[in-house]
Amino acid sequence: MLWRSVREGGDTKTRKSRRTLAMPKRCAEALKLHRERQDVAKKAAGDRWQDDDLVFASKVGTELDSHNVRRSFRAVLKKAGLNAQEWTPSEMRHSFVSMLSDAGMPIEASLAWSGTATPASPERSPANKLRPLLLERAEAVDQIFRDL
C-alpha cells in the first residue's frame, strides 16, 4: 500500500482537496514500470524534454492535452484487443464499478472509489474509519486483478 496526503511540492490547494490514498499493489507496480518507461522516453527526447516532474506527460515531458489522452487510450484499447469505437473512458469506469460490485464491494463504496461523489465517499467518513475503508477497497482491486 502507498499512503500519501500531500503533494511533493507542498500542501494541497485547499483543505478539502487533501486525500489519503490506498493504492492497490498492482497500481503501484504499474506506476513503477511507467516511470522506467518515462525515463527511456526522456533519454530519447534529449534536449526536447521539458522536465515539469509530471507523472503522465507527452513524449517530450509536457502536459497532456485531450488529444494525447484520447490517442493513448485508443492505443491501449487496441493492444488489449478491444474496439476503440466501442469504448470510452467513462464506459471503462462503469465497467470498473461493475467489477467491484461483482466482487462483493457495496455499490456506494464502488462508486466512491471510482471518483463518483456519494454519501459514502471517503471525504465524509470519520477519520478512524477512513484508512480501513480505503485499504479494503485497494485489497478488493488487488483480489479482482490477481490473475492478470
Side-chain angles (χ1 to χ4, degrees):
M1 288 301 131
L2 178 66
W3 295 93
R4 295 274 195 284
S5 62
V6 294
R7 299 186 299 194
E8 184 176 321
D11 207 350
T12 54
K13 275 180 21 179
T14 67
R15 189 158 179 70
K16 189 175 180 180
S17 67
R18 293 180 185 165
R19 301 286 186 273
T20 298
L21 176 65
M23 186 180 292
K25 291 175 190 168
R26 184 174 184 85
C27 292
E29 291 166 6
L31 284 170
K32 287 177 187 174
L33 180 60
H34 174 71
R35 173 160 286 185
E36 291 171 13
R37 290 180 179 159
Q38 194 174 51
D39 287 342
V40 171
K42 184 177 182 177
K43 288 176 185 164
D47 292 340
R48 295 180 303 137
W49 185 266
Q50 296 180 31
D51 199 350
D52 293 329
D53 201 28
L54 299 171
V55 175
F56 298 102
S58 72
K59 292 180 181 181
V60 293
T62 58
E63 195 172 308
L64 294 172
D65 63 19
S66 61
H67 299 292
N68 297 117
V69 174
R70 281 194 294 274
R71 189 179 318 109
S72 295
F73 183 72
R74 286 191 298 266
V76 168
L77 290 171
K78 185 177 180 181
K79 199 170 188 176
L82 299 172
N83 183 340
Q85 302 301 319
E86 296 176 359
W87 288 94
T88 66
S90 181
E91 288 166 330
M92 287 290 187
R93 188 167 101 183
H94 291 296
S95 295
F96 177 68
V97 169
S98 294
M99 290 174 75
L100 291 174
S101 181
D102 287 347
M105 184 176 288
I107 191 68
E108 295 83 9
S110 301
L111 288 170
W113 217 72
S114 72
T116 304
T118 69
S121 65
E123 303 82 55
R124 295 189 176 108
S125 298
N128 64 335
K129 294 184 180 181
L130 182 61
R131 186 166 235 169
L133 177 68
L134 293 172
L135 185 60
E136 175 187 328
R137 293 175 188 174
E139 288 172 347
V141 172
D142 279 335
Q143 186 67 24
I144 290 168
F145 294 104
R146 71 183 174 279
D147 297 326
L148 297 178

